[in-house]
Amino acid sequence: MTFAVRVDASDPTPPYEQLRRQLAGAIRGGTLASGTRLPTVRQLAADLGLATGTVMRAYGELEASGLVVTRRGQGTVVADLRSDAVGVRLGGLADRFIADAVAAGAGPAEVRAAIDAALSRRGA
Amino acid sequence: MVVSGVLVVVALPLLAVVVVLAAVVAGRRRSARLVFDSEAYPGLVALRRSTIALRWTGVVVGILAGVAVIGVGPLAPLAFASPLVAGIVAVAALLVGQQLSYSGARSRGSAGVETRRLRDYVPVGLARRVGAATGVLLTVCLFLVIAASPDDLGRPGRALTAAWVEHRWVADQAGVLQRDDAFHSGATSPFPGSFYVPAVLGALALLLALSVLGLWLTARRPRNGGDPELVRVDDALRRITAEGIVAAAGAGIAGGVLALSVVAYTRFGQFPQVPVHVACSYLGALVALGALASTLAFATTLLVPGNGNRR
């Protein structure tokens, strides 16, 4: 069964972020298994009716999070998350937390302070 | 011109009639329809209609274009490229049909995470036969270029010449037999040598390039890959289009071999005194029969699309 992605033009979230979230969720949830080849940027952009730059940015963010890797001649494939499962998962969680915190108006110092406070409460 | 006269008056109409008859017969065998909910997918209905209907338009316009180019220019340099021109037009019609209506398989904002590859749609067996036909066409062209000679006005590669010796014995005044060999030569034109072959090769290059482009566009055109039913039908339509493109290219190429080999057969056959020419004539007849069968098979596949199931 092919995983479907949807980009809603009326959603205030930028299209690249909508795409990134859906792909990241599918990769973390195991719907897109490691080694799964993602469509080319050009193909996905044409299918969705988006600019290639939009899809390229979403793929770039996924690669920066360690969720996909781009290899010459193979295209973009879902990364093997087992090799660094905790690190990749933490990276994804941090991404989401930071995005929500920034949306709530927090700066970098406040974000760090909030994490330190949470760790202190747990006795870490 | 003898060649164009024979092609226009006899060969092409006869070939067209045979192809239509073969298409009708084969149609009963291959006519399993591509079934889907047409009310739920009106875009696919339009795509199916243009995928299948425009090939007939392409064939008719292609034959007309092929006939039209036969008489173009002094000494008709495009005469033997005529079947390939017909193939080019047929492939172009398939492409136009697809490009006009591919949006029927697309839902803006929706897509599937899928990779679409050329090899998922190209009919491998048919493509191999087109490759073989291309090899035969190139071989025939090379052979004819080597065999041809200048015509009576010195135009290179436009005639077939032959020279032979007639061995005779004549009695002299004393009644003794003396050898009195007679040397003969002859020429016949037009012959598809280097005067005509460049147009054939140019048309072949254009036909192959257009076919590759068409197959690439067929695999790459966008769709909503997140809808499994749409994907099933769209995959079938892509396979039907790819099969049509490959078959049209094959019909054009095999038709080119047919035109060249029929003329080669008749021209070599005009010199029964030369054993090599007689052998070449028989060889030409064999190649022509094979090319005729291939042309009919390709044309039937083009005119009677399958249901797009993976084979």
Side-chain angles (χ1 to χ4, degrees), chain B residues 55-103:
Chain B
R55 70 184 55 209
W56 281 90
T57 309
V59 168
V60 172
V61 177
I63 289 173
L64 292 175
V67 171
V69 300
I70 288 175
V72 170
L75 302 174
L78 301 177
F80 294 96
S82 148
L84 293 130
V85 170
I88 289 169
V89 174
V91 172
L94 282 160
L95 280 186
V96 168
Q98 178 173 251
Q99 295 305 108
L100 284 178
S101 55
Y102 75 77
S103 59

Side-chain angles (χ1 to χ4, degrees), chain B residues 10-29:
Chain B
V10 182
L12 284 176
L14 187 65
L15 196 60
V17 169
V18 173
V19 166
V20 169
L21 287 176
V24 170
V25 172
R28 293 180 180 165
R29 184 172 55 81

Side-chain angles (χ1 to χ4, degrees), chain A residues 1-8 23 32 36-40 42-50, chain B residues 106-117 216 219-228 231:
Chain A
M1 177 84 179
T2 304
F3 176 68
V5 288
R6 282 186 182 77
V7 172
D8 184 358
L23 291 173
L32 293 176
T36 303
R37 200 169 156 189
L38 298 187
T40 61
R42 196 181 291 263
Q43 179 191 309
L44 191 55
D47 286 358
L48 289 167
L50 298 174
Chain B
R106 192 180 187 194
S107 310
R108 193 168 283 273
S110 297
V113 179
E114 56 169 359
T115 50
R116 297 192 292 270
R117 298 161 304 184
W216 187 84
R220 296 301 167 109
R221 66 175 169 75
R223 74 173 174 200
N224 175 12
D227 182 337
V231 167

Side-chain angles (χ1 to χ4, degrees), chain B:
Chain B
M1 186 172 152
V2 177
V3 178
S4 64
V6 170
L7 281 173
V8 173
V9 176
V10 182
L12 284 176
L14 187 65
L15 196 60
V17 169
V18 173
V19 166
V20 169
L21 287 176
V24 170
V25 172
R28 293 180 180 165
R29 184 172 55 81
R30 301 185 78 222
S31 64
R33 279 175 61 83
L34 179 59
V35 180
F36 61 94
D37 184 354
S38 54
E39 287 185 8
Y41 298 99
L44 289 180
V45 176
L47 184 54
R48 179 177 65 181
R49 191 184 307 122
S50 64
T51 298
I52 292 170
L54 253 86
R55 70 184 55 209
W56 281 90
T57 309
V59 168
V60 172
V61 177
I63 289 173
L64 292 175
V67 171
V69 300
I70 288 175
V72 170
L75 302 174
L78 301 177
F80 294 96
S82 148
L84 293 130
V85 170
I88 289 169
V89 174
V91 172
L94 282 160
L95 280 186
V96 168
Q98 178 173 251
Q99 295 305 108
L100 284 178
S101 55
Y102 75 77
S103 59
R106 192 180 187 194
S107 310
R108 193 168 283 273
S110 297
V113 179
E114 56 169 359
T115 50
R116 297 192 292 270
R117 298 161 304 184
L118 201 56
R119 64 173 178 265
D120 295 333
Y121 304 108
V122 174
V124 177
L126 200 63
R128 282 196 185 125
R129 290 204 288 279
V130 173
T134 305
V136 172
L137 179 62
L138 292 174
T139 306
V140 168
C141 284
L142 180 65
F143 176 76
L144 294 176
V145 165
I146 292 170
S149 302
D151 66 5
D152 52 350
L153 293 177
R155 289 174 292 231
R158 238 198 119 245
L160 177 69
T161 57
W164 65 97
V165 180
E166 185 186 350
H167 299 297
R168 295 184 304 192
W169 295 92
V170 179
D172 61 11
Q173 290 175 336
V176 178
L177 286 176
Q178 297 286 337
R179 189 163 176 167
D180 183 26
D181 291 346
F183 293 88
H184 300 282
S185 66
T188 179
S189 70
F191 182 80
S194 59
F195 186 86
Y196 294 100
V197 162
V200 174
L201 296 181
L204 174 67
L206 190 57
L207 176 59
L208 291 177
L210 192 64
S211 301
V212 170
L213 173 69
L215 292 172
W216 187 84
L217 287 173
T218 300
R220 296 301 167 109
R221 66 175 169 75
R223 74 173 174 200
N224 175 12
D227 182 337
E229 175 62 2
L230 185 144
V231 167
R232 180 186 72 82
V233 177
D234 182 62
D235 271 345
L237 289 174
R238 284 174 202 252
R239 278 193 280 272
I240 290 170
T241 302
E243 183 188 63
I245 290 170
V246 175
I253 293 167
V257 176
L258 179 63
L260 291 170
S261 54
V262 163
V263 175
Y265 158 71
T266 56
R267 292 292 180 246
F268 279 111
Q270 288 178 0
F271 299 104
Q273 310 88 343
V274 185
V276 173
H277 282 36
V278 172
C280 289
S281 179
Y282 283 130
L283 187 62
L286 280 176
V287 174
L289 284 175
L292 177 63
S294 296
T295 306
L296 292 177
F298 283 128
T300 303
T301 305
L302 171 63
L303 290 174
V304 188
N307 59 10
N309 284 337
R310 192 186 287 272
R311 283 186 289 277

